[in-house]
Amino acid sequence: KNQVEQSPQSLIILEGKNCTLQCNYTVSPFSNLRWYKQDTGRGPVSLTIMTFSENTKSNGRYTATLDADTKQSSLHITASQLSDSASYICVVSAKQTGANNLFFGTGTRLTVIP
Amino acid sequence: DSGVTQTPKHLITATGQRVTLRCSPRSGDLSVYWYQQSLDQGLQFLIQYYNGEERAKGNILERFSAQQFPDLHSELNLSSLELGDSALYFCASSRWTGSNTEAFFGQGTRLTVV
């Protein structure tokens, strides 16, 4: 069964600290994995995309990793800022002839406090 | 702007009532996904349509139904509403673009049942 699981469900950290969010998936055949950021009251927006051949990709203070063998991804946030407070959603795309199928995690709610 | 339009943005209704949420996908996107998001449950997949046909079903209640029309817009119907149905309802659309496939989210409809 194609599934995407994220952990933790929620996280509270102090401003300036680092944190790591996890995403485990069982989606097959794998096409790509995206991390989305969802600010409060807004729709999620793509942060970064990982394809099968990529291990690490950075977008400013955000660094995503992908281990295709263990089917795990992580999103590391460095030197957190108050504006990082948001939900982070992991979405995995499966290759499906004639249609794409996307599988969504339930998200991690991050709160950065001063 | 993601190109996905959801209406209305806010909806307040009484228990027992029925409402219809509308989603217009990005031009050319054949897939539409509906999600329910609440504070305690995170993002919960409801249902997916592809080119007018139901493709996948998640934890959608029997009181809820959806459809995708020939012009590809989709509607989510919620009936016999309960207080617990209060949540943010998102739709996302996508199309197969190979390893770059991406979901684009609308801004959501916030439903409050009183």
Side-chain angles (χ1 to χ4, degrees), chain B residues 10 12-14 16-17 23 28 32-33 36 44 46 54 60 71-72 74 77 81 83 85 89-90 105 107 114:
Chain B
H10 303 277
I12 302 175
T13 189
Q17 295 298 304
C23 171
V32 170
Y33 303 77
Q36 179 191 59
Q44 297 290 325
L46 295 177
E54 182 182 304
I60 187 166
D71 66 353
L72 301 178
S74 179
N77 301 296
L81 285 168
L83 295 177
D85 297 328
Y89 291 84
F90 281 105
F105 287 83
Q107 293 298 300
V114 297

Side-chain angles (χ1 to χ4, degrees), chain A residues 37-59:
Chain A
K37 180 185 180 188
Q38 181 189 11
D39 292 316
T40 302
R42 312 281 294 177
V45 176
S46 180
L47 265 179
T48 183
I49 178 174
M50 305 293 290
T51 56
F52 189 84
S53 58
E54 295 173 309
N55 298 120
T56 304
K57 184 176 284 186
S58 292
N59 178 3

Side-chain angles (χ1 to χ4, degrees), chain B residues 72-90:
Chain B
L72 301 178
H73 91 270
S74 179
E75 293 181 354
L76 179 67
N77 301 296
L78 314 176
S79 61
S80 302
L81 285 168
E82 302 174 359
L83 295 177
D85 297 328
S86 296
L88 198 51
Y89 291 84
F90 281 105

Side-chain angles (χ1 to χ4, degrees), chain B residues 40-110:
Chain B
D40 56 342
Q41 299 264 337
L43 201 67
Q44 297 290 325
F45 169 61
L46 295 177
I47 197 164
Q48 178 203 355
Y49 279 85
Y50 176 77
N51 202 20
E53 293 186 1
E54 182 182 304
R55 182 81 182 195
K57 225 169 187 177
N59 299 322
I60 187 166
L61 300 172
E62 285 191 9
R63 300 184 286 109
F64 296 1
S65 65
Q67 55 184 328
Q68 187 179 28
F69 295 87
D71 66 353
L72 301 178
H73 91 270
S74 179
E75 293 181 354
L76 179 67
N77 301 296
L78 314 176
S79 61
S80 302
L81 285 168
E82 302 174 359
L83 295 177
D85 297 328
S86 296
L88 198 51
Y89 291 84
F90 281 105
C91 84
S93 75
S94 70
R95 74 182 73 155
W96 176 247
T97 54
S99 60
N100 199 39
T101 298
E102 180 176 357
F104 293 87
F105 287 83
Q107 293 298 300
T109 293
R110 181 168 294 284

Side-chain angles (χ1 to χ4, degrees), chain A residues 5-26:
Chain A
E5 294 183 352
Q6 291 187 243
S7 62
Q9 185 175 1
S10 62
L11 185 60
I12 301 174
I13 62 172
L14 289 173
E15 186 179 10
K17 297 296 186 183
N18 304 334
C19 67
T20 300
L21 314 180
Q22 297 289 345
C23 174
N24 298 337
Y25 62 93
T26 58

